[in-house]
Amino acid sequence: AALVRAGLEAGFRAWGRAVARRPWLGLAIGAALTAVCAGGLALLETRSSGIYWVSSTQAVQERERLGETFGGELASTTAQVVFVAEGDALAPAFLARVAEVYERARWNVTGGPGAAYADVCLRATPEAGCEAASVFSALGAGKVPGDTRAAATPGAQAELRRRAAALAGTSVLAGAEVAQDAGGRDFVARAKALSLVFPAAPNRTAAAAWEEPLDAYLGGVAEAAWPGLQNFTYYTVWADMQEVNRIVAQETPIVVGSALIILVFMALVLGRRPFVESRFLLATSSVVTILLATAAALGFCGYIGTPRTVISLLVVFVLLGVGVDDMIIICDCVDHEDPSAPLEERMALGLGRAGHAITVTTATSFVALMVASTIDFPLIRYFCQLAALGLLAVYVLQLTVFLGCFALDERRIKGGRYDCLPCLRSGAYVQKVSQQSAGEGGGGGGGGGESSSSSIAPVLARPSPPSSFSRRYTFHARSRASGKSTGRFELGFKGLTSWLMQWVARAMAFTAVKVAVVVLFLAATGVSAFLATGLTADVDVADAYADDSIIKEYVAITRAHFSGVPERLLVATFERPYHDPAARAAVREMYGALQEQPFVSASMAAGSDPLGALEAWAARENATLPAEPAAFAAAVRAFNASDPASGARMVVEGDAEGGAPGGEGGARVVAVLATMDVVFPSAQAEAERRTAELRRAAGAPEAVVWSLDMMRIDRDARMVEMMVNNLVLACVGVAASLFLFVHPFLALFTAATIAILDVQLFGWLRIWGLGIDVTTFICISMSLGLSVDYVVHFASAFVQAPRAGPNSRLQRTYRQMGVSIFNGGLSTFLGICLLSLAQSNGFRVFFRMLFTAILLGLLHGLLFVPAVLGLVDAAAGRWQRRREEGA
C-alpha cells in the first residue's frame, strides 16, 4: 500500500505539472478517448425483453423447456376492455353499448392490411374459432359480425342471464348476484361489471398493428361516457408502451434540471467573487465531463455487448454524485496550495494529494459495482456494468478534460479575464492585483501552507490564521491571484460548511460524544436489522406508471371488481402414452383439477383441452383414434393440419426438419400443451402460495404449468437472498481492493462500515413502507458506489494525518476533509431532489432511496467513522505513551 501510494503521488504530480504546462494535451487525450469509446454507440443494442427474469428460477427454466418443445413465443398479449355499470351491467340498454364496442373492436378496427383482430387473434380450438372472451360467449355469440347485438336484445335476456351464471366470478363477469328461477335453475339477477378480453398472438409486431387503432378508438369511448356507465377502462400492450414513453418524456426534464442545479452549485462552490474569480465556465466543464463519460461508457458497452435498457439513463445520477465529488476535491486541493506559487507547482502538489484519494474511491466503487454485476438478474447486471464503466470514464476524463479546463481557467483568472467572457479583460481587477502585489513588496503573501506530499488526503481549505475566522463565524476573503487578504468578510458555501465542520469537530473532541455516537449508530443498526427481517418482495405493477396513467386506473378498477388481471396459463405434459385412452383421461383429469382452483378457469378463447378437441375432431370425422403409437401420431398430424394454429399444441416427434429418423414407424406424440386463465394477486406471499398449489395440482415435474407472472413470482421470491449475497460479496470486494491502497485495519474497518450502512438502509426500506423490488435493488446497488466515497475519504485522510496531540488527527481531518465530504453529499442530493416531483411513483421511490443512502453516507462519513477512529487513535496514543514511559 505504501509503495502504491508513493507511486501514485509521484505519477499524479508529474501529470499535474504536464497539464499545467500544456492544458490542450489533457483536452486532446480526453477527447480522443471519448471519440474512440463513443464509436461503440453505433453497436449499442437496446434490449427490453428477457432482462427482468432470473435464469436460475424454475419458471425461467420451464419457459426454456416449453420453447424448445413447442417453439415460438409463449406469452401472448391480451387487450381487455372493462365496463362498470351504475346499475345492472346486463340490462339491455347497457349491454347494447357493450356489444357496440365489442363489434367495433372485433370486426371494424383496422390499421391497414393484416391489422384486423382476425389476423392477430390467439387461435382457439377448431370449433371455437377466433373468439374473444366476453359475456356474449355464453350464447355462442361473437363468431360473426352482428351476433353480439342480437345477444344483447331484450328477447335474449332470459337465456343470457341463465347461461351467464356459469361465468360469475370469471374475468368477464364481476359482481354477479346469482339467484334461482322457479325451475331451480341459476341465473344472474344483477351484475356490476363486464369485461371483453381479446387474446392476441405472441407476435408483437402483428399485434401492435391492430392495437394502435384500437387504442385510438377506445380512447374516444373513454371520453364519451354514456348513461348508466360508472367506469370505463381498457388495457392494450400498445397503450402500455405509450405510457412508458410518456413517463420517459415527462421525466427527461428532471434529468436536465438536475444537471442545471449541479451546474449552479458547482459554480457557487468552486468560484468566488464575480466576475473574474467566479468559475461558471469550469462548473460547466464539470457537467460536460460527466455527460462525455456517460457517452463513452455507453459506447464501450456497445463494444463488449452490454445492452442499453430502460434504466440506463439513471446512471447519470451515479456519475454526477461520484464525479462531482472528485472534481471538487481536485479544485480544492490545488486551491490549498500557495496562490503565489507557479501554476505548475500548485497543480503538481494539489493533484499529488487528490489523485491518490480519488483513485482509491474510484477503485473501490468500481469493484463494488462489478461484483454487483455478477448477479443473475440481467437488468441489474447490465446497469452495474454500465455504472462501473462510467466511473472509469469519469476518472479518466476528469484527469484529462476537466484538469485541462481547470488549467485554462486558472490562466484566465491570472490574466484578469471575465468568467464566461474570457475574450474580455477586467482592467480594474488587474490594477487591483498589481496594487496588492506592490503593497506586499514582492513577498509571497500567505506563506506556503502545508504541502506535505506524504498525505493522501485532499485538503479542502488551508488552515487560516486565527484572525480570519471571527467569533461571528465569517471569514476573510482571500484574493486567489495575490494570496493577500482583502479585509472583507464573505459568508458563502465554504464559509457555512467550514463553520459547520468546525463545530462538529469541537463536539467530537469529547470522548463522551464519540462513545455516544458509536453506541447510537450500533443501536440504530440493531433496530434496522430487526426491521429488515420483515421485508418482503411485494411489488405493485401500478407503481411503475404515472399517477394519471390509464394503466394505473385499469389496474385499480380490475382489482376492485374482478379477481384480478387474467393471465395466460400454459399446462404442458411430456412423454405420456397419449395413444392410450386411460392416459388421455388422466391428463384431462389433471386439467379439471387445475380448473377447480378458484383462481384458474378454462380459457374461452384458447384450447384449454386439446385432447378433448382431438377427440371431438375424430368424432366429426367419423374416425376412431388408434391405440397404436405410430398410427395415433398420424391422426394427430391430420388434426394439426386441420387447424394450423392449434398444431403447436400437440407435438409429434419428427415433425420438424432434422427430427427423429424412422418416418411414420417411429413417430409418436411427445408433448401436449393446454391453455387456461389464471389470476395472481400482487401480494408476493399469496402469489407464491398459488404458484405452489398449481405445480402440486399439475403433478410437477412430470407436467409443467407456466405463466409470465410465475417468472416474476419466482424472481421476487429470491430477491432478498440475491440482494444480501450481492452486498456481502461487494463488501468483501471493497475490502480486498482497499488492501492495495491503505492500511489493512482501514480496509477492514471500511468494509465493516459499509456493511453497517447497508443494514441501516434495509431498515429504512421498512420505514418508508417499501419492499424488495427492482427499483430498490438498483438503488441499494447504487448506494455502494456513493457511500464508499464518504467513508474512504475521511478514513484515509485520518490515517495519513500526523499525530501532534490529543484529537489532533481528528481536528485536522475535519478541517481538511469535512467540507469536501459535505459538499459532495450536498451536490448529489441537489442532483436528485427534482425526482421527488416526478409523476411516476417509481421515480419517487428512487428519490427516497437515494436520499436515504446519501444521508446515511454523510452521517457515517462525518460522525460514525470519526468517532470510531478517534477512540482507536486515543487508545493507541495512550498505549504508545505507556510504552515510551516504560522504555
Side-chain angles (χ1 to χ4, degrees):
L3 290 175
V4 170
R5 180 172 63 251
L8 285 174
E9 289 179 352
F12 280 118
R13 283 196 296 269
W15 177 248
R17 188 174 288 108
V19 175
R21 292 172 180 170
R22 301 177 183 85
W24 297 107
L25 174 65
L27 291 172
I29 293 176
L33 292 175
T34 302
V36 171
C37 292
L41 290 172
L43 306 175
L44 186 63
E45 172 192 358
T46 299
R47 188 173 301 173
S48 58
S49 60
I51 61 176
Y52 300 97
W53 317 124
V54 177
S55 60
S56 59
T57 58
Q58 180 177 345
V60 172
Q61 294 173 354
E62 289 172 343
R63 181 189 65 171
E64 294 175 355
R65 184 181 182 186
L66 292 173
E68 292 173 357
T69 304
F70 299 98
E73 300 179 66
L74 300 174
S76 65
T77 60
T78 301
Q80 184 176 17
V81 188
V82 178
F83 308 83
V84 180
E86 293 178 347
D88 183 12
L90 293 182
F94 189 87
L95 205 58
R97 299 299 298 269
V98 175
E100 180 182 342
V101 175
Y102 179 93
E103 290 284 328
R104 182 71 180 272
R106 174 68 177 83
W107 304 104
N108 298 325
V109 170
T110 60
Y117 179 64
D119 301 315
V120 301
C121 69
L122 188 67
R123 298 285 298 178
T125 55
E127 60 268 25
C130 184
E131 178 187 3
S134 68
V135 69
F136 306 113
S137 302
L139 293 179
K143 297 181 179 179
V144 295
D147 60 354
T148 54
R149 289 193 177 94
T153 58
Q157 271 284 299
E159 185 65 19
L160 176 65
R161 290 181 181 272
R162 280 196 298 270
R163 297 195 179 188
L167 303 178
T170 65
S171 60
V172 299
L173 184 63
E177 299 176 7
V178 180
Q180 289 187 336
D181 59 15
R185 294 176 298 180
D186 291 341
F187 73 98
V188 178
R190 181 185 177 89
K192 183 62 177 177
L194 301 177
S195 171
L196 310 176
V197 182
F198 298 91
N203 187 325
R204 273 303 318 145
T205 303
W210 169 69
E211 289 175 349
E212 182 177 2
L214 175 66
D215 183 67
Y217 166 68
L218 294 178
V221 175
E223 295 177 358
W226 62 76
L229 180 66
Q230 179 178 325
N231 282 308
F232 172 85
T233 187
Y234 66 93
Y235 173 85
T236 66
V237 178
W238 175 265
D240 195 330
M241 293 170 58
Q242 296 303 110
E243 285 298 318
V244 172
N245 293 336
R246 186 169 72 94
I247 290 173
V248 173
Q250 286 179 340
E251 313 307 352
T252 298
I254 290 179
V255 178
V256 176
S258 299
L260 292 177
I261 289 176
I262 290 181
L263 175 62
V264 174
F265 177 80
M266 289 287 286
L268 293 173
V269 168
L270 299 181
R272 295 195 178 182
R273 296 172 301 174
F275 293 93
V276 175
E277 293 186 351
S278 59
R279 282 174 167 171
F280 188 82
L281 276 178
L282 185 62
T284 303
S285 72
S286 68
V287 176
V288 171
T289 300
I290 301 296
L291 297 180
L292 290 176
T294 304
L298 286 170
F300 198 83
C301 285
Y303 287 127
I304 64 176
T306 299
R308 181 172 65 92
T309 66
V310 294
I311 64 171
S312 294
L313 186 63
L314 297 178
V315 78
V316 175
F317 294 99
V318 180
L319 302 187
L320 284 172
V322 176
V324 166
D325 295 356
D326 292 343
M327 293 177 198
I328 291 175
I329 289 172
I330 291 175
C331 292
D332 291 332
C333 281
V334 177
D335 287 346
H336 170 74
E337 298 303 325
D338 184 0
S340 63
L343 177 61
E344 296 177 14
E345 188 67 19
R346 292 171 54 218
M347 289 189 63
L349 294 176
L351 192 61
R353 286 195 295 271
H356 182 271
I358 64 176
T359 300
V360 172
T361 55
T362 300
T364 51
S365 298
F366 176 80
V367 170
L369 288 170
M370 287 305 295
V371 170
S373 70
T374 61
I375 190 171
D376 185 19
F377 194 160
L379 182 68
I380 296 177
R381 180 169 68 248
Y382 297 148
F383 177 83
C384 290
Q385 289 174 357
L386 175 61
L389 292 173
L391 289 179
L392 286 183
V394 169
Y395 177 75
V396 172
L397 293 183
Q398 68 190 3
L399 293 175
T400 53
V401 174
F402 179 75
L403 203 60
C405 292
F406 179 83
L408 292 174
D409 197 64
E410 288 296 297
R411 292 183 178 184
R412 174 193 63 79
I413 294 175
K414 186 175 181 180
R417 298 185 180 275
Y418 286 109
D419 192 13
C420 298
L421 291 173
C423 56
L424 300 179
R425 187 188 301 270
S426 173
Y429 181 84
V430 174
Q431 182 181 4
K432 184 176 181 180
V433 171
S434 300
Q435 293 174 353
Q436 291 173 348
S437 300
E440 292 174 356
E450 302 157 4
S451 59
S452 172
S453 60
S454 64
S455 174
I456 71 164
V459 183
L460 194 65
R462 175 199 287 175
S464 304
S467 61
S468 67
F469 202 103
S470 74
R471 295 185 178 275
R472 289 180 296 170
Y473 311 116
T474 56
F475 64 98
H476 280 291
R478 193 176 187 83
S479 172
R480 295 176 56 251
S482 65
K484 183 179 179 181
S485 173
T486 62
R488 299 175 58 185
F489 290 96
E490 296 180 357
L491 189 59
F493 275 105
K494 291 184 180 180
L496 289 173
T497 50
S498 296
W499 170 78
L500 177 63
M501 289 303 103
Q502 184 186 41
W503 276 104
V504 173
R506 289 176 179 176
M508 294 297 290
F510 297 98
T511 302
V513 174
K514 291 195 281 284
V515 172
V517 168
V518 173
V519 171
L520 180 63
F521 272 74
L522 293 180
T525 304
V527 173
S528 298
F530 173 76
L531 293 175
T533 58
L535 285 175
T536 63
D538 289 343
V539 57
D540 192 343
V541 295
D543 288 342
Y545 300 94
D547 295 336
D548 59 346
S549 169
I550 188 174
I551 306 299
K552 200 163 191 173
E553 180 187 18
Y554 161 79
V555 172
I557 291 177
T558 52
R559 286 176 179 172
H561 298 284
F562 295 87
S563 56
V565 180
E567 178 79 21
R568 186 186 183 208
L569 179 70
L570 303 183
V571 184
T573 54
F574 301 91
E575 304 296 340
R576 304 285 181 92
Y578 299 105
H579 58 278
D580 184 357
R584 294 198 298 273
V587 173
R588 298 184 67 185
E589 182 179 351
M590 183 263 290
Y591 294 161
L594 287 173
Q595 294 174 21
E596 287 178 359
Q597 302 290 337
F599 49 90
V600 179
S601 61
S603 175
M604 290 175 287
S608 59
D609 186 1
L611 293 175
L614 173 66
E615 294 176 357
W617 168 82
R620 289 197 306 272
E621 298 292 326
N622 295 319
T624 301
L625 292 176
E628 196 274 329
F632 180 78
V636 170
R637 282 199 178 100
F639 168 68
N640 289 344
S642 70
D643 183 29
S646 296
R649 301 184 185 283
M650 304 185 71
V651 178
V652 179
E653 188 180 63
D655 273 0
E657 292 185 12
E664 290 290 324
R668 63 191 181 93
V669 178
V670 295
V672 175
L673 181 68
T675 306
M676 302 178 189
D677 289 337
V678 64
V679 174
F680 287 107
S682 59
Q684 176 67 17
E686 177 63 17
E688 289 181 29
R689 186 187 65 80
R690 292 189 180 185
T691 300
E693 289 180 1
L694 286 176
R695 288 169 174 161
R696 185 167 50 251
E702 289 76 12
V704 169
V705 288
W706 180 89
S707 75
L708 191 64
D709 230 13
M710 291 173 72
M711 294 204 297
R712 173 192 64 83
I713 295 167
D714 282 0
R715 178 200 69 195
D716 291 349
R718 293 190 52 196
M719 190 71 77
V720 175
E721 174 192 354
M722 289 191 300
M723 181 180 290
V724 172
N725 292 341
N726 198 261
L727 292 176
V728 170
L729 290 176
C731 290
V732 173
V734 168
S737 63
L738 282 173
F739 277 113
L740 296 174
F741 300 100
V742 297
H743 192 279
F745 165 76
L746 180 60
L748 295 176
F749 172 67
T750 301
T753 303
I754 294 173
I756 292 173
L757 189 150
D758 287 333
V759 171
Q760 294 180 7
L761 197 57
F762 276 104
W764 274 95
L765 278 177
R766 186 77 180 277
I767 294 173
W768 284 118
L770 302 175
I772 303 297
D773 59 15
V774 175
T775 303
T776 54
F777 201 157
I778 291 171
C779 291
I780 290 179
S781 299
M782 291 172 61
S783 71
L784 290 173
L786 296 175
S787 59
V788 165
D789 276 17
Y790 307 131
V791 174
V792 171
H793 276 314
F794 195 99
S796 60
F798 181 91
V799 170
Q800 295 304 316
R803 184 186 292 112
N807 293 309
S808 61
R809 302 174 81 183
L810 194 63
Q811 299 290 328
R812 179 186 177 91
T813 307
Y814 266 116
R815 186 173 63 247
Q816 294 177 347
M817 282 303 300
V819 180
S820 177
I821 293 174
F822 186 83
N823 283 341
L826 182 59
S827 67
T828 307
F829 169 75
L830 292 176
I832 67 169
C833 63
L834 291 182
L835 290 174
S836 62
L837 305 177
Q839 293 293 317
S840 170
N841 183 67
F843 279 82
R844 294 195 295 270
V845 168
F846 190 78
F847 165 76
R848 291 200 294 269
M849 286 298 301
L850 284 190
F851 167 75
T852 305
I854 294 168
L855 178 63
L856 291 178
L858 287 176
L859 291 176
H860 282 76
L862 294 176
L863 294 178
F864 180 71
V865 171
V868 174
L869 293 180
L871 292 173
V872 172
D873 182 60
R878 289 192 298 270
W879 176 80
Q880 185 176 2
R881 286 193 299 272
R882 285 196 301 266
R883 185 178 180 184
E884 292 173 352
E885 292 172 358

